[in-house]
Amino acid sequence: MILSVSRRTDIPNYYSDWFLNRLREGFLYVRNPMNPRQVSRIELSPEVIDCIVFWTKNPAPMLDRLGELSPYPYYFQFTLTGYGRDIEPGVPHKRENVIPTFQRLSSAIGSNRVVWRYDPILFTSVYTPEYHLQAFSQIAEALRGHTKRCVISFVDRYAKNSVSMKRLGAYELEQPALEAFSRQLVGIANKNGMTVSSCAEVMDLSHCGIHHSSCIDRQLIEEIIGCPLKVEKDKNQRHECGCVESIEVGTYDTCRNGCLYCYANSSQKQVDRVSQSYDPHSPLLCGQATEADKVTERKMVSLRDSQMSFLNQ
């Protein structure tokens, strides 16, 4: 199986001790967000975990502990934008901290295993198209040789971020302006040895050089593990998402980055409340299992297609 670590929170930044402890213990628990009394027990044996996909804005706490991941194939989805702390209050200074962290991570594990995410893109009176193009260019130049892929998306409005989007005065570009903007992003990325693809976008920007991609990417995982996978599209994701099936191990309302566009946190007050129950030694990311919980063993099998084919020879 493939582990998603995590769409719901920044585990490398805030909860890496917990995750690495769970790898040593060989299992973890995940609460069902729709039915919190249902808890799944996830086996973490290297024999059944085909790949780990990390999502983060700052993996610095993990950099000196990458050796603990050696039994597992993995790669990082690394979000690095041009926003300041007015939008991403919990993210360290980009030029002084985050870019060097990206470069160091890439040097340690290889540029093919660190995917740069410049997303979501939102437009305001401060973060204009011109601002984004300048920021994107500066970051792309700094990351030249440290990644091969850039993934973008344009901000979506959810119930959890609608108030913030309104307060920021976020707006959408008309289609001609959006296409011109997209073509410029592609040009900048290509000049720095990168391709650009989109994440879960309804619109088709292929004529601008931006094709749909997936974050939990079958092709990339197969390249990393050197073996084909028997895996289907993740039916639990929205129609536009191209990700293959995975097991999500994160918990909502635990990410302390505080990004205003976030869809995974209800409020900062709720994040403060839930994260207070964090215990790096608990099987659960935050909190403890109780007698009222129903713990069920999740069936875990490798998705590797080990049968040889003349096409692979």
Side-chain angles (χ1 to χ4, degrees):
M1 292 297 294
I2 300 164
L3 287 188
S4 169
V5 186
S6 150
R7 285 185 175 94
R8 299 172 183 168
T9 189
D10 194 334
I11 287 177
N13 192 1
Y14 298 107
Y15 306 110
S16 56
D17 285 345
W18 171 80
F19 185 70
L20 293 172
N21 285 342
R22 298 326 308 153
L23 291 183
R24 280 197 300 275
E25 291 286 334
F27 75 97
L28 58 78
Y29 287 169
V30 180
R31 286 195 185 277
N32 183 337
M34 307 305 295
N35 187 345
R37 289 303 176 196
Q38 292 183 350
V39 176
S40 294
R41 185 185 189 278
I42 310 298
E43 180 188 349
L44 299 178
S45 164
E47 282 70 41
V48 296
I49 302 300
D50 300 302
C51 190
I52 301 172
V53 182
F54 291 104
W55 315 63
T56 186
K57 288 184 170 70
N58 179 30
M62 291 188 76
L63 290 185
D64 292 331
R65 304 183 66 182
L66 294 174
E68 297 177 49
L69 299 173
S70 59
Y72 303 89
Y74 64 91
Y75 66 96
F76 280 78
Q77 297 271 347
F78 194 135
T79 299
L80 174 48
T81 69
Y83 300 119
R85 293 195 173 179
D86 55 332
I87 303 289
E88 298 175 342
V91 180
H93 193 280
K94 306 297 175 63
R95 184 177 294 107
E96 295 176 3
N97 301 105
V98 184
I99 288 176
T101 295
F102 193 114
Q103 294 168 336
R104 185 180 166 195
L105 176 64
S106 173
S107 296
I109 68 174
S111 60
N112 64 316
R113 292 168 61 192
V114 189
V115 178
W116 173 31
R117 300 182 67 91
Y118 190 90
D119 81 312
I121 299 171
L122 64 93
F123 300 108
T124 71
S125 59
V126 174
Y127 297 103
T128 62
E130 293 73 24
Y131 176 94
H132 278 294
L133 290 170
Q134 183 178 13
F136 186 86
S137 180
Q138 291 176 354
I139 298 171
E141 290 176 7
L143 301 186
R144 183 187 303 160
H146 292 284
T147 187
K148 298 178 180 179
R149 304 172 61 187
C150 176
V151 176
I152 68 164
S153 71
F154 297 95
V155 71
D156 291 314
R157 292 177 184 263
Y158 300 91
K160 291 182 179 180
N161 70 8
S162 60
V163 173
S164 296
M165 292 300 99
K166 185 175 181 179
R167 186 169 67 247
L168 288 168
Y171 65 90
E172 297 179 1
L173 295 183
E174 297 293 333
Q175 191 67 21
L178 184 65
E179 292 181 359
F181 173 81
S182 299
R183 288 190 178 94
Q184 288 177 281
L185 287 183
V186 171
I188 294 168
N190 290 170
K191 186 175 68 174
N192 288 284
M194 308 168 193
T195 61
V196 180
S197 55
S198 64
C199 171
E201 286 291 341
V202 176
M203 71 184 82
D204 181 7
L205 294 172
S206 58
H207 56 290
C208 301
I210 300 175
H211 296 275
H212 295 302
S213 68
S214 51
C215 304
I216 306 215
D217 188 313
R218 174 178 183 163
Q219 181 177 348
L220 177 57
I221 294 171
E222 289 179 340
E223 290 175 3
I224 290 172
I225 68 176
C227 178
L229 293 174
K230 296 182 290 186
V231 64
E232 303 295 331
K233 182 186 182 303
D234 192 334
K235 299 180 179 62
N236 294 318
Q237 303 300 323
R238 50 187 167 156
H239 175 74
E240 295 81 17
C241 178
C243 290
V244 295
E245 58 187 331
S246 64
I247 294 177
E248 171 60 50
V249 306
T251 301
Y252 289 118
D253 291 316
T254 59
C255 185
R256 302 203 294 269
N257 286 327
C259 303
L260 270 63
Y261 49 74
C262 182
Y263 64 86
N265 289 342
S266 301
S267 66
Q268 189 57 48
K269 183 178 180 180
Q270 179 71 351
V271 171
D272 292 341
R273 185 190 70 80
V274 176
S275 60
Q276 281 180 355
S277 64
Y278 170 58
D279 178 355
H281 301 290
S282 171
L284 286 164
L285 176 55
C286 286
Q288 302 286 340
T290 70
E291 293 182 356
D293 294 324
K294 181 181 179 181
V295 180
T296 304
E297 188 86 23
R298 175 74 180 262
K299 183 179 180 181
M300 299 289 291
V301 294
S302 173
L303 303 172
R304 297 184 182 220
D305 186 354
S306 57
Q307 292 184 344
M308 289 297 293
S309 160
F310 73 90
L311 295 175
N312 303 119
Q313 297 180 24

